[in-house]
Amino acid sequence: QVQLVESGGGLVQPGGSLRLSCAASGSIFSINNMGWYRQAPGKQRELVAAITSGGSTNYADSVKGRFTISRDNAKNTVYLQMNTLKPEDTAVYYCNAAVRRPTALSTTNYWGQGTQVTVSS
């Protein structure tokens, strides 16, 4: 089994910063892409940022220049540094990882349980 555990969410004022972390553990041979998604009430889940195993990144237009995704391959951990937060960033943030297990020939997508980020004064 593979588990993704997120941390770092919370309540922050507009203009503030938060750093999310997501650690993968369990039966892992390698991890390809890792990413962060978010889902606001009444809206569909959307991609926020993603990073390949080699470090290439892509971002949603709404967060470019404010959010930075990074990863520590030795720790199987992905991070999301969120700066200049806006009320519209309020959502549940989910971690996603494409994991190859030791006996598998392909990857499987796993999700974290989600962490709430609320931006409000």
Side-chain angles (χ1 to χ4, degrees):
Q1 277 287 16
V2 174
Q3 299 82 37
L4 301 183
V5 178
E6 299 135 337
S7 60
L11 173 64
V12 64
Q13 292 187 344
S17 298
L18 282 175
R19 189 191 194 209
L20 305 183
S21 300
C22 172
S25 63
S27 181
I28 298 171
F29 177 76
S30 64
I31 302 178
N32 290 357
N33 292 354
M34 302 185 82
W36 290 95
Y37 290 71
R38 67 186 180 187
Q39 188 167 18
K43 295 187 176 181
Q44 289 188 332
R45 190 174 297 189
E46 63 176 358
L47 175 68
V48 176
I51 185 168
T52 68
S53 57
S56 297
T57 59
N58 69 286
Y59 297 91
D61 287 343
S62 59
V63 307
K64 283 180 180 177
R66 301 188 297 121
F67 291 10
T68 302
I69 189 170
S70 61
R71 64 189 284 175
D72 184 333
N73 290 331
K75 296 181 179 179
N76 290 333
T77 299
V78 62
Y79 306 96
L80 186 67
Q81 177 66 44
M82 305 185 293
N83 298 329
T84 319
L85 282 160
K86 304 176 181 180
E88 50 264 42
D89 294 318
T90 296
V92 178
Y93 284 69
Y94 297 91
C95 170
N96 175 269
V99 177
R100 182 180 170 190
R101 301 181 65 182
T103 57
L105 297 178
S106 60
T107 60
T108 300
N109 266 323
Y110 290 91
W111 292 90
Q113 80 284 359
T115 185
Q116 177 70 46
V117 171
T118 302
V119 185
S120 174
S121 55

